[in-house]
Amino acid sequence: MSVSATIILPGDEIPSSTLPQPTNKKKPLTLGPGLRHIPPDTIVTTVAGALATDTKKNAVWVEYNSGRYLPSAGDLVIATVNNSAAENFNCILTPNTPPATLPHLAFEGATRKTRPQLYPNSLVYARIFNAGKESSPELTCVDPSTGKSDGLGPLKGGTVFQISLGMARRLLAGRKGGVIVLEGLSEKVGFEVAIGRNGMLWVDGGNIKTTLVIGKAVQEVDEQALGEKGQKKVVERVLRGL
Amino acid sequence: MGPEVVLSHLHRADGSATYTHNGYCVIGSVNGPIEVLRKDEQPEEATVEVNVRPAAGVGSPKERHLETLLHNTLRSIILTRSIPRTLVQITLQIRSLPEEDSVLGVNTSLTLLPHLLNTSLLALLSASIPLSTILTSVLIAIPSSKNAIPLLSPTAKDLLRAKPLRSLHVFAFSGDRKLLLNESYGSFGYEEWDDACEMAEEVCCKEGGVELSEGMEVEGQQGNLEEWLRQVVKRKVEREQRWRTAD
């Protein structure tokens, strides 16, 4: 991921010289969040942030870490069940937004008789199946092609921690995100985490102390924007306290 | 010297900004896109709600008037069609006014308006609401003495000293140099208005899209508002991306 530090304001036109020069000419240009296309060939920004490009994927987007989570298809989210309707659960992704629907049958091996019983305020790790501005987002807990859950489903036990949207993206990006605090902690303690793109981190450490300590450590890395050295220090301090 | 800004400091709001300039201090917060009341829902557009809260007491017709002006201006720069059936809620709390504000004897909603407009734009940027362009706003006062030069973004003290005033003008420009809002008060001729408008455009918009050279900054001591906005966004990006360089 190459990040050029081009600062952009809404309404700025992206000159074609800053667009990625694709190695494969046939690959169409992909516009990520924060950009809009005005036909025939004008690309205008809609949010303030830094312009980022990827030559391999022929993609361009705006990097920003503020504002509310906007659902987009394919994102992994932690949803809170609000209520159960006739054929689906109504789930909340972010406060004060219209509920997302999660069909009763969108779980691994679910049939009319064996569908999961989820009560209000229970947590579900789900993938956004489709999200458009015309309808409320739809969630699913199975891969439609294989019928397997791939780790998605109801989250039992544990606690949810709020993290910034950028931190959630970094955690899901793997090595590119530069977050090593979880790997460091996992060398000594066992725990489970789930990361939702809607700015939620679910942690289950088996007991309350471990759960809280791990959640707080990630929040600290997020708030203070710690680099690798800083994260190692956090890991050392946390492990000493346990 | 440009206005002072703190961005994204309220942690319960989706976006926020505190703006301090010439003794005026305004806190702006934006929530959105959120669920809209059924009666306000528009099938193809987002609803924009603006609340202005005075420094003391409850809102009066003056605040309602400001809300209407802000609402109409902001709705034209928010890409409401990209987030239909949602609500963008903008709350502006006036924290402090300059002491001289109440004794100015001029239309005080005009002296306040540019600050409210700039604050709401900053809060919208902080909330990453899709916008079609940016907005910058400035106040211009024309004293009644002959051959007096118009005052550009004057402080309340300047206004008191320059009394009696002939007219007050508020201009707001978009990023592509289009006039978005004009509110004028007092008596003035078309030529006077034209001069004031040109003066405001120079401050609000960047010179013809060319990078501002060092010489120009010295020339206009006020600084350029678009340039100032870019600096604010640069600081925001630097803060968001500091993990990349942190060790």
Side-chain angles (χ1 to χ4, degrees):
Chain A
M1 187 165 55
S2 68
V3 172
S4 46
T6 319
I7 308 294
I8 44 176
L9 287 176
D12 284 1
E13 234 174 77
I14 308 290
S16 55
S17 58
T18 38
L19 291 177
Q21 304 301 325
T23 41
N24 184 355
K25 288 274 179 228
K26 276 187 186 158
K27 210 163 200 181
L29 180 71
T30 316
L31 294 186
L35 296 171
R36 71 181 173 135
H37 172 227
I38 300 172
D41 51 4
T42 321
I43 294 166
V44 178
T45 53
T46 60
V47 296
L51 192 72
T53 54
D54 189 326
T55 342
K56 216 185 258 172
K57 290 181 186 151
N58 197 11
V60 56
W61 69 95
V62 181
E63 191 86 27
Y64 61 95
N65 182 15
S66 62
R68 181 170 284 259
Y69 171 70
L70 291 175
S72 79
D75 280 358
L76 291 165
V77 290
I78 296 175
T80 313
V81 175
N82 191 29
N83 59 47
S84 172
E87 285 192 349
N88 44 261
F89 297 108
N90 288 326
C91 303
I92 303 290
L93 298 180
T94 49
N96 304 319
T97 43
T101 58
L102 172 63
H104 285 159
L105 299 179
F107 292 89
E108 187 183 287
T111 59
R112 290 227 169 267
K113 282 182 184 157
T114 62
R115 61 180 195 201
Q117 295 289 319
L118 293 176
Y119 298 101
N121 292 328
S122 47
L123 298 169
V124 188
Y125 197 33
R127 188 180 288 281
I128 295 181
F129 187 59
N130 70 46
K133 56 183 183 180
E134 288 82 23
S135 59
S136 60
E138 218 175 292
L139 306 174
T140 177
C141 284
V142 287
D143 188 331
S145 56
T146 60
K148 289 275 190 293
S149 69
D150 292 333
L152 302 178
L155 297 170
K156 294 191 186 83
T159 312
V160 157
F161 294 87
Q162 296 287 333
I163 51 174
S164 71
L165 300 186
M167 186 64 177
R169 280 200 300 272
R170 284 171 65 193
L171 282 164
L172 286 166
R175 194 169 294 159
K176 273 185 290 186
V179 187
I180 55 159
V181 65
L182 289 176
E183 280 93 10
L185 289 167
S186 65
E187 281 169 14
K188 291 280 161 63
V189 281
F191 57 87
E192 261 188 281
V193 290
I195 300 138
R197 279 288 295 271
N198 52 341
M200 290 213 202
L201 169 77
W202 173 84
V203 186
D204 186 9
N207 58 61
I208 293 171
K209 190 178 177 187
T210 320
T211 306
L212 285 177
V213 153
I214 288 163
K216 294 267 183 218
V218 176
Q219 280 183 329
E220 191 183 330
V221 171
D222 180 17
E223 274 153 29
Q224 299 176 16
L226 296 175
E228 289 204 2
K229 223 186 254 174
Q231 292 181 40
K232 274 183 189 144
K233 266 186 205 155
V234 172
V235 170
E236 264 172 47
R237 201 188 62 225
V238 166
L239 291 178
R240 229 181 296 132
L242 274 175
Chain B
M1 202 180 86
E4 274 174 52
V5 181
V6 190
L7 270 193
S8 309
H9 56 302
L10 304 178
H11 69 282
R12 303 284 301 258
D14 290 332
S16 51
T18 289
Y19 165 101
T20 319
H21 188 46
N22 285 355
Y24 292 88
C25 182
V26 187
I27 307 175
S29 90
V30 169
N31 278 307
I34 56 174
E35 193 165 19
V36 62
L37 271 184
R38 195 64 185 269
K39 69 177 167 71
D40 298 331
E41 192 178 275
Q42 288 165 292
E44 291 194 353
E45 281 177 49
T47 311
V48 180
E49 186 187 308
V50 184
N51 293 305
V52 177
R53 304 202 187 284
V58 291
S60 60
K62 180 190 156 193
E63 275 75 31
R64 299 287 95 74
H65 174 59
L66 286 168
E67 281 169 13
T68 320
L69 292 174
L70 286 162
H71 177 264
N72 290 339
T73 316
L74 295 174
R75 213 181 49 172
S76 65
I77 65 158
I78 297 174
L79 288 168
T80 48
R81 283 179 177 263
S82 68
I83 41 171
R85 285 166 291 101
T86 55
L87 172 71
V88 177
Q89 191 178 44
I90 303 157
T91 309
L92 299 162
Q93 167 74 55
I94 297 151
R95 225 181 102 196
S96 61
L97 298 167
E99 273 174 42
E100 300 87 354
D101 191 71
S102 50
V103 291
L104 276 181
V106 293
N107 190 336
T108 49
S109 64
L110 278 194
T111 51
L112 186 59
L113 184 58
H115 305 295
L116 292 177
L117 276 167
N118 287 338
T119 314
S120 47
L121 179 84
L122 289 163
L124 284 169
L125 288 183
S126 158
S128 297
I129 302 287
L131 305 176
S132 63
T133 179
I134 53 163
L135 171 155
T136 42
S137 175
V138 79
L139 171 78
I140 286 181
I142 302 178
S144 59
S145 54
K146 266 193 182 163
N147 303 326
I149 9 160
L151 300 169
L152 182 68
S153 148
T155 60
K157 271 204 185 103
D158 289 342
L159 287 179
L160 208 58
R161 229 175 282 138
K163 262 173 101 168
L165 294 165
R166 243 160 81 82
S167 58
L168 279 173
H169 307 268
V170 173
F171 295 95
F173 283 91
S174 71
D176 43 5
R177 305 179 84 95
K178 285 195 182 113
L179 185 60
L180 286 178
L181 170 123
N182 164 233
E183 283 288 310
S184 299
Y185 174 82
S187 60
F188 51 89
Y190 179 74
E191 258 172 40
E192 265 180 330
W193 181 88
D194 209 35
D195 282 348
C197 183
E198 219 166 80
M199 200 171 168
E201 191 179 339
E202 223 162 81
V203 185
C204 286
C205 308
K206 205 154 80 171
E207 199 56 52
V210 190
E211 288 295 316
L212 205 69
S213 61
E214 276 172 46
M216 282 189 56
E217 261 176 83
V218 181
E219 204 177 295
Q221 33 159 242
Q222 276 289 336
N224 180 280
L225 280 175
E226 191 183 330
E227 199 59 27
W228 159 76
L229 211 55
R230 272 182 206 280
Q231 289 301 320
V232 171
V233 171
K234 195 176 166 208
R235 280 203 296 279
K236 168 177 135 82
V237 170
E238 270 166 12
R239 192 179 154 73
E240 280 171 4
Q241 309 228 337
R242 70 204 148 115
W243 60 272
R244 284 186 201 276
T245 48
D247 56 18

